[in-house]
Amino acid sequence: MPDAKEEFDRGPTHAPLPSERWNVADTLLLAVLSLLALGLRLLAIEQWSFGVVEAETFRALTQPLFGGPDGLMASDQSSYPVVFWLLRWLLEIGALPGFTEGWIRLPFAFVGCLLVPSIALFAQPMFGRGVACLAALLIAVHPGHIAASQTADPIVFAMTIAVIAGAVRLSGMRWLSILLCVLAGACHPIGWLCGLGMLCAGGTDRMLRKTPALVWWLLLAHVVVVVPCLLDQVGLSLPILAVIAVLIRPPANGIADPDAASASAPNTLAPNTLGLGLATLAPLVAGGVWWWVAGTCAESACIAALPPLVVLGSCSVVRFSSCLRGQLRANGERRKWLTRLLVTAPTIMLLGELATAVFLYFAIFAGGRPPWREVRDAVLAATTSGHRIEVIAARGCDVMRVYLRPRHWLELDVGNRANRDPHPGVRVSAWPADAAAAQSLLSMPDAMLVLQHNEWRALLGSPEGRALVQDFVPIDLWPSQQLLGDQSLYLLQRRRQD
């Protein structure tokens, strides 16, 4: 017979209540939210230029599958090849007619839409239909997820599959959820952490509550390195609401207001807010470490943390609304319009913040990407007739190769054409770390520089950099002010000798 201490350590038990299934109204609501998500993710999807991450995807789609050191299976992308295999197959059978921005991004937009019903199915068993529907609404209109779904980044596939794995785990299909977790990891390296985090969130939080506080503080300390990207991708409100949901324990029945039980499905599982907190921290910590080592992947990590953040934020909003409704009724408030206004105020404010960010994303920040296509047009217009184009770029080197040398990574034919350059009149080179190599590149005739604002400022800020580019002047500028800084593009050409 277990003693009292064991019962106390086990924590409060939640009697399994009969779970209400999704009714017709709920299904229609999820369908409408999915259509809203689809419309927002298809809006202007072909207008934005490829980004740096998308240039890596383009290279993985065009380089030979097995081509020695230059093949896909010899590159870094070979450790998570599932999405690239799928896209290559869609291109081969003609489902995707071309390699343009819109067609390449289309599968990511559709997979991003699948997250809307998936996150509702994941949240409903633990928190009820109210939290599930609100989480689906928030993810449908969230600007960070819209931007991710309009980007050819495999993290979109990994994130959606990880949430589906969590929903399958809650339904009792353990082995299928593990297989989906493996599939998420095969789509993107952070997918392993996304999948494991969602599986952890679907289990008990007893073990997590026994985790030493030092571990949690170390995890939070790692997140500091990605705070700027976190605020850019998910905003400020959701992290605050998520922290509140983790720190404040819900009542034993999971619903603060007894009258709200009729409007939400009763919980059949104990809400594992600590597990969701771990599912949020895991990709952020990995992204922070990755950013310190390689200087990349911070944005993908923040997007991967978005689903558990949205669920936790929705949980806080619904709890607050339920508690406020109960307090107003206990105080004898008879004005229904005032009660409804106060209860829905947090949701309205959160949706207002997201709607403002969506407007800025489409109307002001132009999809959050610098206008690389305009740079390509200017390079071609400034080319001297009869001369070879020599373009030197830094972080945007692969992007310029996509636009100036789209067949750069294609498999070359055997025989006499084995060494033929598919773009003999265009050369794109990466800015070398060695000063002598950089000087050799810059001495080429008709050399052009394509630099972002911070790269141009860094060159001008050092004596060595100023000496390298002293003969070059900007001939065109494309302003691209973003939330996290200036991503304007400069095109520089050698100063003409009068």
Side-chain angles (χ1 to χ4, degrees):
M1 179 177 180
D3 58 15
K5 183 178 184 305
E6 291 178 353
E7 292 291 334
F8 180 79
D9 290 339
R10 189 177 293 114
T13 59
H14 295 254
L17 300 175
S19 177
E20 295 182 7
R21 296 184 178 181
W22 294 94
N23 54 36
V24 176
D26 297 327
T27 305
L28 289 177
L29 176 60
L30 287 181
V32 170
L33 293 179
S34 300
L35 289 176
L36 173 63
L38 180 61
L40 290 174
R41 282 149 185 79
L42 294 180
L43 181 62
I45 190 174
E46 79 287 350
Q47 293 186 12
W48 325 126
S49 300
F50 279 129
V52 175
V53 175
E54 293 176 306
E56 297 178 358
T57 301
F58 190 95
R59 179 182 61 194
L61 298 181
T62 56
Q63 64 187 151
L65 190 60
F66 299 99
D70 298 325
L72 172 62
M73 301 312 296
S75 64
D76 294 337
Q77 285 74 26
S78 62
S79 59
Y80 50 100
V82 170
V83 177
F84 307 122
W85 288 348
L86 174 62
L87 293 179
R88 291 170 75 105
W89 176 72
L90 292 175
L91 288 164
E92 183 178 350
I93 65 175
L96 297 178
F99 289 83
T100 60
E101 295 86 350
W103 288 118
I104 294 298
R105 293 168 181 158
L106 189 61
F108 298 88
F110 279 108
V111 172
C113 294
L114 290 179
L115 186 60
V116 174
S118 301
I119 202 169
L121 295 175
F122 171 78
Q124 189 268 344
M126 289 190 294
F127 300 102
R129 291 207 304 266
V131 174
C133 292
L134 180 57
L137 173 60
L138 294 181
I139 206 70
V141 300
H142 198 285
H145 192 261
I146 293 173
S149 300
Q150 291 191 334
T151 304
D153 188 350
I155 189 61
V156 178
F157 279 78
M159 176 175 50
T160 301
I161 295 173
V163 174
I164 295 175
V168 170
R169 174 68 178 88
L170 291 174
S171 66
M173 293 181 285
R174 180 179 178 183
W175 289 107
L176 179 57
S177 66
I178 294 176
L179 291 177
L180 288 173
C181 180
V182 173
L183 180 60
C187 292
H188 195 279
I190 295 182
W192 292 103
L193 296 175
C194 294
L196 292 175
M198 300 310 288
L199 295 185
C200 181
T204 177
D205 63 350
R206 231 184 314 160
M207 184 178 299
L208 295 174
R209 289 197 170 275
K210 295 181 179 180
T211 303
L214 178 61
V215 176
W216 292 101
W217 282 111
L218 288 175
L219 292 175
L220 289 172
H222 282 82
V223 179
V224 174
V225 299
V226 292
V227 165
C229 293
L230 183 67
L231 297 180
D232 178 34
Q233 299 291 341
V234 304
L236 181 61
S237 300
L238 276 179
I240 294 176
L241 293 172
V243 171
I244 294 174
V246 172
L247 295 181
I248 300 179
R249 292 289 288 172
N253 63 351
I255 300 176
D257 183 11
D259 295 329
S262 59
S264 298
N267 293 344
T268 60
L269 298 172
N272 189 358
T273 53
L274 269 183
L276 285 170
L278 181 62
T280 303
L281 287 177
L284 290 178
V285 171
V289 174
W290 202 333
W291 184 83
W292 276 108
V293 174
T296 59
C297 210
E299 294 86 354
S300 298
C302 294
I303 290 300
L306 186 58
L309 268 178
V310 167
V311 175
L312 289 172
S314 302
C315 180
S316 291
V317 171
V318 171
R319 285 181 191 170
F320 173 80
S321 299
S322 300
C323 291
L324 182 58
R325 183 188 294 112
Q327 290 294 327
L328 290 174
R329 291 180 178 178
N331 294 333
E333 179 58 53
R334 300 291 183 181
R335 292 169 290 183
K336 292 185 178 180
W337 65 269
L338 180 60
T339 301
R340 292 175 180 174
L341 178 62
L342 294 176
V343 167
T344 57
T347 303
I348 294 174
M349 289 189 293
L350 183 57
L351 290 175
E353 177 188 352
L354 297 181
T356 302
V358 170
F359 171 78
L360 293 176
Y361 169 77
F362 283 107
I364 305 300
F365 297 143
R369 298 169 179 84
W372 296 101
R373 281 186 303 196
E374 285 78 357
V375 178
R376 173 205 56 193
D377 297 338
V379 167
L380 296 177
T383 302
T384 303
S385 178
H387 289 262
R388 182 176 180 176
I389 304 176
E390 302 283 352
V391 177
I392 306 166
R395 189 165 181 260
C397 178
D398 280 348
V399 184
M400 296 308 301
R401 282 182 177 143
V402 168
Y403 283 121
L404 292 172
R405 296 175 54 89
R407 298 175 59 86
H408 179 82
W409 296 285
L410 283 177
E411 184 175 10
L412 298 178
D413 295 336
V414 297
N416 295 331
R417 298 181 60 193
N419 296 320
R420 181 175 297 179
D421 189 344
H423 301 282
V426 182
R427 176 175 174 175
V428 179
S429 302
W431 182 272
D434 181 67
Q439 182 63 48
S440 176
L441 280 176
L442 293 174
S443 63
M444 294 181 178
D446 291 342
M448 297 181 184
L449 279 174
V450 178
L451 300 174
Q452 290 186 301
H453 177 75
N454 60 337
E455 296 165 349
W456 175 236
R457 292 290 300 271
L459 283 175
L460 296 181
S462 65
E464 297 83 1
R466 287 197 300 269
L468 287 173
V469 297
Q470 61 181 352
D471 295 333
F472 287 80
V473 293
I475 61 173
D476 216 335
L477 166 65
W478 293 266
S480 180
Q481 189 66 36
Q482 302 295 329
L483 187 61
L484 286 182
D486 193 351
Q487 296 186 22
S488 301
L489 297 176
Y490 291 82
L491 178 61
L492 299 98
Q493 198 173 34
R494 193 182 308 278
R495 184 183 290 108
R496 295 182 179 180
Q497 301 294 334
D498 295 332

